[in-house]
Amino acid sequence: MAADVETLATVEALAGEKYAHGFVTDIEQEFSEKGLNPDVIRFISAKKAEPDWLLAWRLEAYARWLALDEPDWAKISYPPIDYQALYYYAAPKEKVGPKSLDEVDPDLLETYKKLGIPLKEQEILAGVEGASRYAVDAVFDSVSVVTTFKAELAKAGVIFCPLSEAVREHPDLVRAYLGTVVPTSDNYFACLNSAVFSEGSFVYVPPGVRCPMELSTYFRINASSTGQFERTLIIADKGAYVSYLEGCTAPMRDENQLHAAVVELVALEDAEIKYSTVQNWYPGDAEGRGGIYNFVTKRADCRGDRSKVSWTQVETGSAITWKYPSCILRGADSVGEFYSIAITNNRQQADTGTKMIHLGPGSRSRIIAKGISAGRSTSTYRGLVSVHPKAKGARNFTQCDSLLIGKDCAAHTVPYVEARNGSAKLEHEATTTRLSEDQLFYAMQRGLSQEEAVQLLVNGFVKDVLQELPMEFAVEAQKLVAVSLEGSVG
Amino acid sequence: MLAEALRSGDRTKLPGRRHEGWRWTDLFGALTTVPPLNPERQALGSWSVPIALDGVVVRRFAAPIQGGVEHVTLEVPAGDHRVVLDLIEAGQGRYVRDLAFDFTLGVGASLERLVMIADDADAVSVATTHVQMQARCDFAQTVLASGARRQRVETHVDHPGGAGRVRLDGAYLLAGARHADQTTVVRHLGRDGESRQLVRGVVAGAARGVFQGRIEVLQGADGTDARLAHNGLILSDRAEIDSKPELEIYADDVACAHGNTIGALDEDALFYAMSRGLPEAEARRLLITAFVGEVAERIRHPGLRDQALIFLAAQAEAFDGEGR
């Protein structure tokens, strides 16, 4: 996500392609056997040196997965996925959990440098005085390469580490929370993830602590024929606050690659979690060849009273996006927020939205979703706002706007609303329009080129969401929006 | 789907939760057996509507005794103008009925239709209308529903665009354990079509209101201007409103919008009305009638509009004592 402008410009100039992160790192890797069976799951579990309960948990999920059907209700179409033709585990050789940065394979460091992700703390520190810092967990295929600023975070009591390390170091915490928000049987892809998940980040913020810096995880798919199945678990204890950001990229390939992640957030009393995503998986080429299939289950449990979870997502990549970050508003006066920008171009398909389940009295939610379709793409907002009888005085506001650029794209809005008490107040509005000719004309007669004018208008259209992102990422996201839409007009 | 189940007696053909479009109107779950088809009809109810209304074709549909399937067609010739009042009348008991209407409008034809549907609280009743329009047609419809054990009024309009106009309105006032579903699908097939929808509903007791409205704009249907609004009031903590307004757009030069609100009766407005000397029950009735009355006000034919207002007022009357 934090690919800086220069990297972006350089790679683009060299490759003549719009996707800046499409290179492959040539590195020796270790794979599980191809396909999925209980032995592969045992192999993954053994690789991670997991306790028996976790292996049993995985195998149970696998058994459930076998009994489930792939969901087909979303407005996306793709050829059947051959789940036996994938590698479920891929890792750079001998580099499982390096102790210090010096032990990390230089090729890997080079990869992240190329992506613009600062992994060396001193490099980050060497930046401009007062520049904001953020800690990074870098996940490469199935393993975490390095996690920065761990020591400094530990001083504040914050645990930030790869999930596999958390299983070893903090088993009680993991066991108490893993699968409590997204149970193994939740849905087809979550179930698959529970069986084969290989890496992800674990965050625990103790009571009353405000996490001293932004946390972020950077996911990179590198190996071919490989699926990535990360699992992230974030717990904000009473009165804690954490802001977390994830970014993702993958090489350009002709094949489709599967990414099925699960993210679980738990917010206890008065806690707040801000979760931002800048998703820039390889979207496939203009003809729809290649690209990532992104089937993700993200859910937050606002368990405590007055807890708050805010999802912000900028979805520009992936051939297919199937993703509905949700909030279960269990606590009294808990708050859920969802801000989304979904941009599709060429032949991309996105079916994304949110679910706000109001269970606690006085719970409030706010949904702002902006979809932009260009080329031959399809973008769907699908959401649910559900108010249960006990959620007295619940409040929701939803706004979904779609912008169409071109004659061959499509935009859909499918909001479900279920209100089951007499004191809730729910509002929903949706619009679908194209870029206004008048506004384009105005911008162009002021001297902007057509592409610049479109960028300006699109940035205005998505501004409500961009301003929810942490500042340095908002700038990157804004550039990403422009890059994604390149070639969509004229 | 209901007609098929009634004809074959096969319960598994009943629509239910497995079907996306019927998730909130589960007929499979509501009927443990499919009643046999029986051509006999119950006696017409004593509806307080005059049989002859100036310039209006009044059609009355009696309830079946057990299971009933009926298919009605109407053709409006090119350039002609029709006003139709369809009274779907209540019978008694656990009857199951499926009414299908097919309307064809010739070039430049116009049709204004008011549907008032009454059913026994134990009945299962589905009325589906398909409308085929030509260029420059004008189709306007208002559906007033009072619910049943399961009741659904579904309307599909294929809009060819051109200078044609479509208005699909509805209102539901539900008390007790009644359920009513209003579902609409408007497909814009050609350029420069316009459609407007306003659906308002009030639920009290343990009633359940369902609204599903889909606007489809097909490729090439540029210049489409489609709007839809659904507003619901919930008067009791046991009542429920489920709604799904959908936009499915395949053309870029369009202006499509939907709005959906669900809330309680405005306490400030209630206070204001009471401070002017109205007893609480009357103040509530006034606010409810005004809320759903806006739907009736959009009816062009004055005689039809009056009938709609009378129907809604009678429904609001039945709310007394409910909704606390």
Side-chain angles (χ1 to χ4, degrees):
Chain A
M1 95 245 59
D4 60 85
V5 204
E6 283 164 40
T7 322
L8 223 103
T10 323
V11 180
E12 203 179 317
L14 286 174
E17 274 282 350
K18 306 283 181 265
Y19 189 68
H21 314 291
F23 60 89
V24 181
T25 306
D26 191 9
I27 192 164
E28 217 180 332
Q29 287 199 294
E30 184 181 17
F31 294 92
S32 62
E33 80 177 82
K34 212 171 199 168
L36 183 55
N37 57 54
D39 287 339
V40 169
I41 293 169
R42 284 191 191 95
F43 172 84
I44 295 171
S45 190
K47 271 281 158 200
K48 305 270 175 195
E50 285 174 359
D52 291 343
W53 67 264
L54 196 51
L55 176 62
W57 193 79
R58 284 174 181 274
L59 290 170
E60 193 195 318
Y62 175 70
R64 282 174 187 269
W65 180 70
L66 289 176
L68 288 174
D69 290 326
E70 207 172 313
D72 60 359
W73 39 259
K75 274 194 172 53
I76 49 178
S77 63
Y78 53 93
I81 298 170
D82 183 356
Y83 291 94
Q84 296 304 336
L86 293 176
Y87 292 106
Y88 286 84
Y89 181 87
K93 256 191 180 154
E94 291 161 27
K95 292 295 168 200
V96 184
K99 294 289 168 287
S100 81
L101 214 54
D102 303 331
E103 290 172 44
V104 175
D105 191 320
D107 283 347
L108 278 177
L109 289 182
E110 186 57 32
T111 302
Y112 283 93
K113 205 170 165 188
K114 219 162 147 186
L115 292 168
I117 314 297
L119 292 185
K120 293 192 171 174
E121 294 177 18
Q122 65 273 33
E123 277 182 11
I124 309 162
L125 292 168
V128 188
E129 188 79 14
S132 55
R133 297 169 304 157
Y134 55 98
V136 178
D137 181 15
V139 176
F140 193 83
D141 287 330
S142 303
V143 292
S144 170
V145 184
V146 68
T147 309
T148 60
F149 286 111
K150 272 166 88 170
E152 191 170 336
L153 287 168
K155 258 185 249 164
V158 176
I159 304 171
F160 178 44
C161 65
L163 187 59
S164 51
E165 186 183 320
V167 169
R168 290 191 301 271
E169 313 279 326
H170 313 280
D172 295 343
L173 270 177
V174 175
R175 207 169 173 177
Y177 289 102
L178 188 72
T180 60
V181 185
V182 180
T184 48
S185 56
D186 193 77
N187 69 64
Y188 188 80
F189 296 107
C191 202
L192 176 64
N193 175 286
S194 301
V196 302
F197 76 88
S198 41
E199 200 52 282
S201 298
F202 175 82
V203 178
Y204 173 78
V205 188
V209 170
R210 195 181 164 88
C211 188
M213 64 182 85
E214 301 271 341
L215 304 183
S216 71
T217 301
Y218 193 89
F219 295 100
R220 172 80 177 165
I221 294 178
N222 188 61
S224 72
S225 309
T226 309
Q228 192 176 51
F229 306 92
E230 85 267 11
R231 192 164 186 117
T232 297
L233 176 59
I234 299 177
I235 303 142
D237 214 319
K238 292 176 185 171
Y241 169 85
V242 62
S243 168
Y244 177 91
L245 195 131
E246 64 168 4
C248 3
T249 60
M252 289 192 281
R253 289 186 205 280
D254 285 345
E255 58 169 16
N256 294 109
Q257 284 181 281
L258 179 64
H259 173 254
V262 169
V263 174
E264 297 179 281
L265 310 185
V266 180
L268 301 182
E269 265 169 56
D270 298 300
E272 181 177 347
I273 301 175
K274 187 174 169 63
Y275 193 106
S276 314
T277 306
V278 178
Q279 187 263 99
N280 189 21
W281 294 117
Y282 177 54
D285 68 9
E287 299 308 313
R289 277 185 302 259
I292 302 290
Y293 288 170
N294 193 28
F295 294 97
V296 177
T297 306
K298 293 184 170 181
R299 194 172 303 151
D301 193 350
C302 292
R303 271 181 212 178
D305 296 348
R306 297 168 303 280
S307 56
K308 178 178 176 184
V309 167
S310 173
W311 297 101
T312 306
Q313 60 172 22
V314 179
E315 302 280 318
T316 59
S318 295
I320 289 175
T321 302
W322 179 100
K323 178 178 171 188
Y324 315 92
S326 310
C327 294
I328 300 168
L329 302 167
R330 218 182 285 276
D333 300 313
S334 54
V335 178
E337 290 177 341
F338 176 75
Y339 300 96
S340 167
I341 301 172
I343 298 174
T344 53
N345 198 353
N346 298 321
R347 287 179 187 270
Q348 282 176 272
Q349 306 173 58
D351 195 304
T352 183
T354 184
K355 287 183 194 174
M356 293 290 174
I357 314 290
H358 291 260
L359 301 173
S363 50
R364 304 190 300 281
S365 62
R366 184 180 164 87
I367 300 169
I368 308 281
K370 306 272 181 181
I372 301 169
S373 322
R376 298 175 163 276
S377 68
T378 305
S379 169
T380 303
Y381 169 82
R382 186 182 301 278
L384 167 70
V385 175
S386 173
V387 178
H388 287 244
K390 283 183 183 160
K392 300 261 186 283
R395 186 85 175 82
N396 164 263
F397 174 76
T398 304
Q399 188 185 341
C400 308
D401 296 319
S402 305
L403 194 64
L404 292 153
I405 304 174
K407 289 281 163 219
D408 301 312
C409 55
H412 313 308
T413 313
V414 193
Y416 295 74
V417 180
E418 299 180 344
R420 286 164 59 196
N421 81 53
S423 55
K425 208 169 168 188
L426 313 175
E427 292 170 85
H428 170 100
E429 56 185 47
T431 62
T432 305
T433 48
R434 72 163 170 177
L435 274 185
S436 155
E437 291 282 351
D438 292 350
Q439 290 174 9
L440 262 182
F441 177 77
Y442 178 83
M444 284 166 72
Q445 62 103 346
R446 294 271 145 174
L448 295 182
S449 72
Q450 192 180 25
E451 262 190 13
E452 285 166 335
V454 169
Q455 275 178 26
L456 180 78
L457 296 183
V458 166
N459 273 323
F461 179 73
V462 299
K463 203 182 87 197
D464 292 348
V465 177
L466 282 183
Q467 66 194 17
E468 295 297 324
L469 283 170
M471 207 261 285
E472 54 272 55
F473 299 110
V475 177
E476 293 306 328
Q478 192 167 346
K479 285 181 193 122
L480 202 54
V481 169
V483 173
S484 296
L485 285 172
E486 231 164 73
S488 62
V489 257
Chain B
M1 285 197 276
L2 174 59
E4 210 182 322
L6 281 167
R7 284 199 190 97
S8 64
D10 184 354
R11 179 170 173 262
T12 62
K13 291 207 161 73
L14 288 169
R17 273 173 213 204
R18 291 169 297 133
H19 306 93
E20 176 57 32
W22 294 81
R23 57 186 292 139
W24 294 315
T25 303
D26 182 9
L27 300 193
F28 182 77
L31 294 169
T32 45
T33 53
V34 179
L37 273 189
N38 189 332
E40 281 182 62
R41 295 275 171 265
Q42 302 197 24
L44 286 171
S46 53
W47 205 304
S48 62
V49 173
I51 301 301
L53 204 60
D54 188 30
V56 179
V57 181
V58 181
R59 304 187 296 186
R60 304 178 73 170
F61 302 93
I65 287 175
Q66 291 168 301
V69 173
E70 216 168 326
H71 186 213
V72 184
T73 57
L74 175 72
E75 210 181 308
V76 186
D80 224 352
H81 174 67
R82 292 279 165 84
V83 180
V84 171
L85 172 57
D86 283 337
L87 299 172
I88 302 174
E89 304 216 5
Q92 281 181 348
R94 305 172 73 88
Y95 59 87
V96 178
R97 82 162 137 211
D98 183 285
L99 263 169
F101 295 90
D102 268 310
F103 294 166
T104 318
L105 276 68
V107 176
S110 81
L111 174 62
E112 180 163 40
R113 180 195 195 206
L114 172 61
V115 183
M116 300 204 279
I117 178 164
D119 272 306
D120 190 276
D122 283 331
V124 170
S125 177
V126 174
T128 312
T129 305
H130 286 269
V131 183
Q132 291 294 333
M133 291 170 46
Q134 304 285 324
R136 299 193 309 282
C137 280
D138 191 333
F139 177 70
Q141 174 180 279
T142 307
V143 174
L144 306 181
S146 56
R149 188 147 60 103
R150 298 284 186 281
Q151 184 188 67
R152 167 141 154 162
V153 181
E154 186 176 329
T155 310
H156 296 254
V157 181
D158 278 354
H159 193 320
R165 292 209 310 216
V166 169
R167 173 175 69 74
L168 286 184
D169 292 351
Y172 53 90
L173 286 150
L174 310 174
R178 285 177 181 256
H179 163 285
D181 172 340
Q182 296 208 5
T183 295
T184 64
V185 179
V186 177
R187 294 207 305 163
H188 286 271
L189 309 169
R191 293 186 60 91
D192 300 326
E194 184 192 294
S195 66
R196 294 285 181 270
Q197 296 185 60
L198 174 66
V199 176
R200 289 204 165 161
V202 185
V203 292
R208 186 179 194 188
V210 174
F211 169 74
Q212 306 185 95
R214 185 158 84 233
I215 296 170
E216 294 177 24
V217 179
L218 273 58
Q219 201 161 15
D222 288 296
T224 294
D225 180 356
R227 280 177 214 171
L228 175 158
H230 169 253
N231 311 114
L233 285 184
I234 302 183
L235 303 184
S236 134
D237 283 344
R238 289 175 302 138
E240 173 171 354
I241 292 181
D242 302 309
S243 80
K244 183 172 67 157
E246 267 183 89
L247 292 171
E248 204 174 317
I249 316 284
Y250 296 94
D252 76 332
D253 187 10
V254 298
C256 296
H258 65 222
N260 184 28
T261 62
I262 298 171
L265 212 54
D266 185 347
E267 289 297 327
D268 291 345
L270 195 64
F271 178 78
Y272 177 81
M274 286 167 70
S275 74
R276 297 272 141 173
L278 289 181
E280 192 191 338
E282 205 172 314
R284 281 178 182 274
R285 200 156 57 228
L286 180 76
L287 292 177
I288 290 167
T289 316
F291 178 71
V292 290
E294 275 188 44
V295 171
E297 296 294 346
R298 286 155 63 101
I299 299 173
R300 257 167 291 165
H301 188 281
L304 224 48
R305 193 190 311 137
D306 289 346
Q307 292 306 321
L309 286 166
I310 292 166
F311 182 91
L312 292 173
Q315 293 290 321
E317 200 84 33
F319 268 18
D320 278 1
E322 294 225 39
R324 294 308 145 76

